[in-house]
């Protein structure tokens, strides 16, 4: 009797485990090999062209994928425009007047649709675009798992609550990433994408004017030149996240943090006498380790709650449901 009960418990436990497993098992790197064999090369060509004409676009495409995956999973919900049934994530606190790259994804989608209509999802294009953007600026590559489908819904409220802000504390950052199945190490590695790209004055004004001990005085002075102290004045003025090599994917971001030259408060908290200091130090000394960990973390992030099988749809145009 006891053995039968034990067996029943084991079977039930396995059922629970299997039912809770993420849909990543249904994603595959060769998902489009038969249905659209030229999909990846078509996307890569579009991304290379976009980054070649605007180097900043590489950071924007990586960020677009990140902001998509953190809200409802990697389902292209971030791309949906407002409609009677859609409360667009584009107008959430962290995305409004900030998130970029939609036109690049649209261009890649149009090119793929021309050769394989109704086959490749916008969510997969965003995932591939992030990888290709990294490679275009000297960053690591990784084999993207494919087979995501597109959502028919979006959530501005979830975007407001689930996307980290530039003032988020380290404890809350760790909790937010853990909530998506990502470790503390994944979080630090993914933050390293700030080795490229730029930030708006409004996102770092408080940090460069508060005269805190966690910012290098000379760095703060330099950043103040193009970011006035008055709120609303120069809000959209841009500054590179990495002052040293702003257009190259390297590990200078972590060296900057050690020198108290992180532009955003949410960057500098990674090296502030707390639990992530050792990881930042590792990456500052070992660029190869950072690259490999970044690629692995991007893969894990791309596996967050994808829609697969008959879930969702394959949008014909990324900004609207079919």
């Amino acid at each position: 009797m006891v053995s039968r009960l034990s067996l029943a418990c084991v079977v039930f436990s396995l059922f629970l485990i299997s039912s809770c497993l993420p849909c990543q098992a249904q994603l595959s790197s060769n998902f489009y090999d038969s249905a659209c064999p030229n999909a990846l090369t078509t996307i890569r060509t579009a991304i290379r062209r976009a980054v070649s004409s605007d180097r900043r676009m590489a950071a924007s495409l990586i960020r677009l994928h990140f902001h998509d995956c953190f809200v409802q999973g990697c389902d292209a919900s971030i791309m949906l425009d407002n409609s009677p049934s859609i409360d667009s994530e584009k107008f959430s606190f962290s995305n409004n007047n900030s998130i970029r790259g939609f036109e690049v994804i649209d261009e890649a989608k149009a090119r793929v649709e021309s050769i394989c209509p109704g086959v490749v999802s916008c969510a997969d294009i965003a995932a591939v675009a992030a990888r290709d953007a990294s490679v275009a600026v000297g960053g690591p590559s990784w084999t993207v798992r494919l087979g995501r489908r597109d959502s028919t819904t979006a959530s501005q409220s979830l975007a407001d609550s689930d996307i980290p802000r530039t003032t988020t504390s380290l404890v809350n950052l760790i909790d937010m990433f853990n909530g998506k199945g990502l470790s503390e190490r994944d979080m630090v590695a993914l933050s390293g994408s700030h080795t490229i790209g730029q930030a708006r004055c409004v996102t770092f004004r408080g940090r460069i004017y508060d005269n805190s001990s966690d910012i290098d005085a000379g760095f703060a002075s330099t950043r103040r030149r193009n970011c006035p102290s008055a709120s609303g004045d120069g809000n959209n003025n841009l500054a590179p996240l990495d002052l040293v090599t702003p257009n190259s994917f390297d590990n200078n971001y972590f060296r900057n943090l050690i020198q108290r030259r992180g532009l955003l408060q949410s960057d500098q908290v990674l090296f502030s006498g707390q639990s992530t200091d050792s990881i930042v130090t590792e990456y500052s000394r070992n660029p190869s380790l950072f690259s490999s960990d970044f690629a692995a973390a991007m893969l894990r992030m791309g596996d967050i709650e994808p829609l697969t099988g008959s879930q969702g749809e394959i949008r014909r145009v990324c900004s609207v449901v079919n």
Side-chain angles (χ1 to χ4, degrees):
M1 181 67 177
V2 174
S3 61
R4 288 181 179 179
L5 284 173
S6 298
L7 179 60
C9 288
V10 169
V11 171
F12 183 63
S13 297
L14 288 173
F15 169 76
L16 287 178
I17 291 171
S18 63
S19 65
C20 293
L21 283 174
C23 295
Q24 67 188 62
Q26 298 180 44
L27 300 181
S28 167
S29 61
N30 59 6
F31 189 83
Y32 296 114
D33 281 6
S34 298
C36 192
N38 293 319
L40 298 190
T41 55
T42 301
I43 297 168
R44 182 168 60 245
T45 298
I47 302 311
R48 283 178 175 173
R49 182 179 293 110
V51 175
S52 177
S53 62
D54 176 10
R55 196 78 168 170
R56 181 187 170 205
M57 187 54 68
S60 298
L61 291 171
I62 293 172
R63 184 169 181 253
L64 180 64
H65 181 45
F66 166 54
H67 282 213
D68 180 36
C69 291
F70 262 56
V71 182
Q72 300 188 169
C74 309
D75 62 358
S77 61
I78 194 173
M79 300 179 199
L80 289 172
D81 287 337
N82 267 332
S83 75
S85 61
I86 299 294
D87 193 13
S88 179
E89 295 166 21
K90 294 179 181 181
F91 300 100
S92 67
F93 181 87
S94 295
N95 291 335
N96 193 29
N97 296 320
S98 173
I99 202 76
R100 305 170 71 240
F102 297 110
E103 73 282 4
V104 177
I105 301 298
D106 288 343
E107 172 66 17
K109 173 66 169 174
R111 289 177 177 272
V112 172
E113 283 291 302
S114 70
I115 58 172
C116 307
V119 174
V120 182
S121 69
C122 300
D124 273 348
I125 291 174
V128 173
R131 187 271 311 275
D132 292 345
S134 169
V135 173
V137 290
S141 182
W142 55 92
T143 302
V144 181
R145 290 189 278 262
L146 303 163
R148 301 167 191 81
R149 289 170 66 85
D150 300 323
S151 70
T152 56
T153 63
S155 176
Q156 187 177 134
S157 60
L158 280 179
D160 282 330
S161 64
D162 288 10
I163 297 174
R165 301 190 181 188
T166 59
T167 54
T168 303
S169 69
L170 181 61
V171 170
N172 286 339
L173 283 171
I174 292 171
D175 285 346
M176 294 174 85
F177 277 76
N178 284 346
K180 303 299 180 183
L182 298 170
S183 69
E184 193 170 297
R185 192 174 192 89
D186 290 331
M187 179 191 72
V188 177
L190 291 170
S191 297
S193 64
H194 285 180
T195 186
I196 54 175
Q198 301 186 60
R200 297 181 300 148
C201 167
V202 68
T203 63
F204 60 84
R205 177 183 282 120
R207 173 162 164 72
I208 63 174
Y209 282 102
D210 68 2
N211 296 310
S212 173
S213 61
D214 72 345
I215 187 168
D216 176 79
F219 174 75
S221 177
T222 299
R223 294 277 64 91
R224 289 172 187 162
R225 293 173 191 167
N226 196 41
C227 184
S229 60
S231 179
D233 188 10
N235 275 0
N236 293 321
N237 292 354
L238 297 173
L241 289 160
D242 173 9
L243 189 60
V244 183
T245 55
N247 293 315
S248 297
F249 198 105
D250 54 33
N251 67 333
N252 270 323
Y253 166 82
F254 299 104
R255 296 174 184 171
N256 293 337
L257 297 186
I258 292 172
Q259 296 169 350
R260 297 178 298 132
R261 294 177 180 173
L263 184 61
L264 305 178
Q265 189 63 37
S266 55
D267 287 329
Q268 193 59 55
V269 294
L270 301 182
F271 192 83
S272 57
Q274 301 183 71
S275 60
T276 52
D277 282 18
S278 60
I279 306 173
V280 170
T281 301
E282 274 188 86
Y283 290 159
S284 74
R285 295 172 177 171
N286 192 334
S288 296
L289 177 63
F290 163 52
S291 289
S292 61
D293 279 4
F294 178 80
M298 287 294 290
L299 264 175
R300 280 188 283 273
M301 186 182 76
D303 285 340
I304 297 174
E305 300 176 15
L307 300 176
T308 58
S310 60
Q311 299 172 313
E313 65 181 15
I314 304 298
R315 290 185 214 140
R316 290 185 290 271
V317 177
C318 291
S319 58
V320 294
V321 296
N322 292 342

